[in-house]
Amino acid sequence: MEIPDIIKSIQSRDEALTIVVGNQKGGVGKTTNSYLIAYTLAKMGVHTLVADLDPQANATKTLMLTKSQHEDTVYSIKKTLMVGVQEKDLTDLPISIMDNLDLIPSYIDFQDFTKYLYQNTSNEYEETHMLEPLFKPLKKKYDVILLDVPPFSIEITRNAVIFSDFALISLQTHDDSLSGAEEYVNTLSKLQQQYQLNIEVIGILPMLHDARNGVDQTIIQSAKDEFGEENVFTNIVTQMARIKRFPINGITDKDRFDKRVLDKYQQVTNELLSRIGLFLNDEEVNNDGK
């Protein structure tokens, strides 16, 4: 399937394709990948939602700054994600960042999610399925939902995995990130078996820790050996100083440095769509065979 055909196939679905961006370790580029892939999809005409499930709210900060790049008015968040969970209604949370890109913002109070979870559930099934019914109405409104989850909250990770179609694993090229990817895949596997989930690992996206260091290539090769070469993205996100400025200024498209980053994420997003297309094609074949 060609990219435009894959996009049409995604847009024709009854519910959004939901992708959780994960790794059990922090500082491996999950948030950067979430908002830059979402931004790219939106530019391609795909109605996209970023759900920031991390109390540190880094995706929220960057995308709200991006919003300010597109309009002059100052926007204040009126209802937090944690309040939405308590009210059992997230439908009024999405904020329009730009055409085709919305955000469910996070806030520091979402660190109370774990406490709230255990106080309001009576078994493991309820613990892992608290967020699923809250996202159900949102899945009807979007083509793609990207979930940015914190690295150290297994409760949020499990809840996100339950209602996701795909997992994109972010891999910064250092040992901790590789072990975090291995732990994350183990978590996915356990949840798949426990609840018969249809979630698939769409791939492992490497981000170079230090392009001049031979360790980077060693880690990428180790990932290929561990997970299979076909499961590691051929597009690798190299070190680019402009990526570090987006959290300060928002995502911009003003000069060649912006363009270099956005061009790379266009390649990454195209590969992501191509990988999704393979699964959609298999799904169509299986449905036709029934």
Side-chain angles (χ1 to χ4, degrees), residues 123-140:
N123 56 61
E124 188 175 354
Y125 183 90
E126 291 178 357
E127 290 168 10
T128 56
H129 287 71
M130 177 170 280
L131 291 182
E132 181 190 29
L134 304 185
F135 273 85
K136 192 77 173 173
L138 293 168
K139 283 196 167 196
K140 301 289 185 183

Side-chain angles (χ1 to χ4, degrees), residues 42-153:
K43 287 286 189 179
M44 299 172 77
V46 178
H47 195 196
T48 305
L49 173 69
V50 174
D52 188 356
L53 303 181
D54 189 337
Q56 293 186 47
N58 291 325
T60 296
K61 294 167 189 171
T62 301
L63 288 175
M64 292 303 288
L65 287 167
T66 304
K67 179 179 176 66
S68 71
Q69 296 280 348
H70 291 263
E71 54 189 61
D72 296 329
T73 56
V74 176
Y75 187 93
S76 59
I77 297 170
K78 300 177 179 63
K79 175 179 169 180
T80 68
L81 173 59
M82 191 64 236
V83 171
V85 170
Q86 290 170 319
E87 293 179 354
K88 297 181 172 53
D89 183 10
L90 306 184
T91 57
D92 57 345
L93 286 182
I95 297 169
S96 175
I97 302 301
M98 62 184 209
D99 287 348
N100 291 316
L101 179 57
D102 288 359
L103 164 73
I104 289 184
S106 191
Y107 192 66
I108 190 66
D109 65 343
F110 197 59
Q111 67 186 2
D112 294 330
F113 175 78
T114 299
K115 183 193 299 184
Y116 177 84
L117 181 75
Y118 290 126
Q119 288 176 345
N120 291 274
T121 56
S122 57
N123 56 61
E124 188 175 354
Y125 183 90
E126 291 178 357
E127 290 168 10
T128 56
H129 287 71
M130 177 170 280
L131 291 182
E132 181 190 29
L134 304 185
F135 273 85
K136 192 77 173 173
L138 293 168
K139 283 196 167 196
K140 301 289 185 183
K141 298 181 179 181
Y142 294 93
D143 300 323
V144 171
I145 298 175
L146 284 156
L147 307 175
D148 184 33
V149 297
F152 304 117
S153 173

Side-chain angles (χ1 to χ4, degrees), residues 3-58:
I3 297 296
D5 296 324
I6 296 168
I7 290 175
K8 287 179 183 176
S9 182
I10 291 171
Q11 292 170 331
S12 68
R13 294 171 63 90
D14 293 333
E15 291 190 341
L17 275 178
T18 304
I19 304 169
V20 57
V21 184
N23 191 308
Q24 297 288 88
K25 300 296 181 182
V28 297
K30 294 191 305 296
T31 298
T32 299
N33 286 330
S34 296
Y35 61 65
L36 282 172
I37 289 172
Y39 179 93
T40 306
L41 286 169
K43 287 286 189 179
M44 299 172 77
V46 178
H47 195 196
T48 305
L49 173 69
V50 174
D52 188 356
L53 303 181
D54 189 337
Q56 293 186 47
N58 291 325

Side-chain angles (χ1 to χ4, degrees), residues 205-238:
L205 176 57
M207 303 181 74
L208 293 190
H209 180 62
D210 183 352
R212 297 163 297 181
N213 193 330
V215 171
D216 288 75
Q217 294 305 320
T218 301
I219 296 296
I220 291 173
Q221 187 57 53
S222 296
K224 291 178 179 178
D225 294 342
E226 174 76 19
F227 301 109
E229 186 167 356
E230 72 281 0
N231 292 315
V232 178
F233 272 58
T234 58
N235 285 286
I236 296 171
V237 180
T238 55

